[in-house]
Amino acid sequence: MDKNNSLYLLEHVSANALSNSFEALSLAKVLREELATFISKNSSEKEEDILKRIDKSYLDEFKRQLENVEDPLREFLEPLLKKVKETEKS
């Protein structure tokens, strides 16, 4: 397949993004558990409460970041998707 083909590039960028996302998620889950265990051992706070607090902080930050990315990402993807549809038609 032609490496200059936009579908080929989109496929590989998507595959890399997915792979990186799974790796980051795995790492974040392990670090979340380790952090909760560490804090719990060095404070009077229960591990369960720490995990709830971490999850809430993460969700709040995720929502903020999503708002910052949503419009630029849409502006980037819409022309690309349009080009893909045009390519599929021909």
Side-chain angles (χ1 to χ4, degrees):
M1 182 171 256
D2 180 15
K3 290 185 179 184
N4 293 323
N5 182 324
S6 58
L7 288 176
Y8 176 86
L9 294 174
L10 180 61
E11 175 186 339
H12 285 285
V13 167
S14 298
N16 286 337
L18 186 60
S19 175
N20 289 341
S21 296
F22 282 133
E23 184 177 346
L25 178 62
S26 299
L27 180 58
K29 283 186 173 193
V30 169
L31 290 175
R32 172 182 169 270
E33 295 290 330
E34 290 292 326
L35 179 61
T37 301
F38 177 80
I39 293 172
S40 178
K41 286 181 179 177
N42 293 287
S43 72
S44 60
E45 198 172 1
K46 294 179 186 176
E47 199 169 322
E48 179 181 297
D49 295 334
I50 297 165
L51 289 171
K52 285 180 185 176
R53 188 165 40 93
I54 290 171
D55 291 344
K56 171 139 181 22
S57 295
Y58 167 76
L59 183 59
D60 293 345
E61 179 61 22
F62 182 79
K63 286 178 182 177
R64 278 193 296 275
Q65 293 297 326
L66 191 58
E67 289 171 359
N68 292 337
V69 170
E70 187 177 5
D71 289 335
L73 189 58
R74 184 181 301 115
E75 290 173 11
F76 172 74
L77 288 177
E78 283 177 350
L80 184 58
L81 291 173
K82 184 178 179 181
K83 190 172 185 176
V84 168
K85 287 178 183 178
E86 291 171 359
T87 303
E88 288 177 343
K89 288 179 184 177
S90 52

